[in-house]
Amino acid sequence: MAGRPSKPVQLIKLEGKSHRTKSELKHREKAEKSLYTGTTFKESPAVKADPVAHREFLRLKKLYKSIEFVDGLDEQIINRYCMLISQEHALAKMMERMRMDIDQVEDVEDRMRIYESIAGVTDKVMKTRDMLLKLEDRLFLNPTARIKSIPKMPAEEKKESAMAQFINRRAGGHAP
């Protein structure tokens, strides 16, 4: 069982209280800022040409306007998401037509073929969606994956073990 995903520093500051130290927050903020490219995401030609995907892109662009964590690095995932929304819309229409066809078909074998087609298309869409999500997480192509990649604790200086300190004191005759 995995822990909760890390919250961005901005959100932690807005909440007003945190168990993290000031140095931890400063480290996380610096690491988060290093992930930004300063570019904005753009609509792909395929999304622009598809009315459903285009409408979803415009909706997301409006929502993401005030979120710092989304920039040019997220262009591909946003365009893929918009195309997936369009694909789901088209699939729903196709399934509705198939359901209407089932009512008109009296032959049991033809009905079975239509049911198999519906199940096959649904299965392919779910497998594709699952594969995309896994790849996007592995390649840090979404904001959550990038935030999760930031180490929670700043690197600490390594201290000598008690035995090493003792040996140093004995060899030099004094404590370091």
Side-chain angles (χ1 to χ4, degrees), residues 50-69:
D50 185 317
V52 175
H54 177 67
R55 190 169 45 250
E56 182 65 13
F57 183 87
L58 294 176
R59 184 183 79 82
L60 291 175
K61 188 172 184 176
K62 182 179 175 184
L63 291 173
Y64 285 146
K65 204 176 256 187
S66 62
I67 299 176
E68 285 184 27
F69 302 109

Side-chain angles (χ1 to χ4, degrees), residues 31-39 68-71 73 146-147:
E32 285 175 14
K33 286 181 180 178
S34 73
L35 295 172
Y36 303 131
T37 64
T39 61
E68 285 184 27
F69 302 109
V70 181
D71 68 5
L73 287 174
R146 286 195 304 277
I147 295 300

Side-chain angles (χ1 to χ4, degrees), residues 142-159:
N142 66 51
T144 305
R146 286 195 304 277
I147 295 300
K148 285 194 294 187
S149 73
I150 298 170
K152 293 182 189 219
M153 303 290 283
E156 291 183 19
E157 293 178 21
K158 207 166 194 174
K159 294 183 180 179

Side-chain angles (χ1 to χ4, degrees), residues 7-45:
K7 292 179 184 177
V9 173
Q10 261 188 335
L11 184 58
I12 292 170
K13 286 180 178 179
L14 283 174
E15 289 175 344
K17 58 183 177 177
S18 172
H19 67 279
R20 291 184 170 77
T21 65
K22 288 180 183 179
S23 67
E24 289 173 342
L25 289 173
K26 186 177 178 181
H27 169 73
R28 284 184 54 80
E29 190 169 21
K30 184 180 175 186
E32 285 175 14
K33 286 181 180 178
S34 73
L35 295 172
Y36 303 131
T37 64
T39 61
T40 58
F41 60 91
K42 295 179 177 78
E43 187 174 21
S44 71

Side-chain angles (χ1 to χ4, degrees), residues 22-167:
K22 288 180 183 179
S23 67
E24 289 173 342
L25 289 173
K26 186 177 178 181
H27 169 73
R28 284 184 54 80
E29 190 169 21
K30 184 180 175 186
E32 285 175 14
K33 286 181 180 178
S34 73
L35 295 172
Y36 303 131
T37 64
T39 61
T40 58
F41 60 91
K42 295 179 177 78
E43 187 174 21
S44 71
V47 170
K48 200 170 213 168
D50 185 317
V52 175
H54 177 67
R55 190 169 45 250
E56 182 65 13
F57 183 87
L58 294 176
R59 184 183 79 82
L60 291 175
K61 188 172 184 176
K62 182 179 175 184
L63 291 173
Y64 285 146
K65 204 176 256 187
S66 62
I67 299 176
E68 285 184 27
F69 302 109
V70 181
D71 68 5
L73 287 174
D74 304 305
E75 186 171 306
Q76 293 300 318
I77 189 172
I78 291 169
N79 281 293
R80 259 189 248 127
Y81 176 79
C82 293
M83 291 304 292
L84 186 59
I85 292 292
S86 178
Q87 182 180 349
E88 285 177 330
H89 187 266
L91 183 61
K93 280 185 176 179
M94 185 175 78
M95 285 186 189
E96 187 61 36
R97 280 187 293 236
M98 288 178 165
R99 286 188 185 114
M100 290 169 66
D101 289 347
I102 287 173
D103 293 338
Q104 296 172 359
V105 174
E106 291 184 24
D107 185 38
V108 174
E109 288 181 19
D110 288 341
R111 280 183 173 218
M112 289 304 294
R113 273 188 285 240
I114 293 172
Y115 281 125
E116 287 172 4
S117 295
I118 291 172
V121 170
T122 303
D123 188 48
K124 286 179 184 176
V125 168
M126 295 307 290
K127 285 180 182 177
T128 302
R129 185 181 294 165
D130 187 49
M131 185 172 43
L132 283 171
L133 286 172
K134 287 177 183 175
L135 285 173
E136 289 158 357
D137 278 344
R138 288 182 188 152
L139 299 172
F140 306 112
L141 295 176
N142 66 51
T144 305
R146 286 195 304 277
I147 295 300
K148 285 194 294 187
S149 73
I150 298 170
K152 293 182 189 219
M153 303 290 283
E156 291 183 19
E157 293 178 21
K158 207 166 194 174
K159 294 183 180 179
E160 288 185 328
S161 69
M163 182 56 88
Q165 290 175 2
F166 173 75
I167 292 171

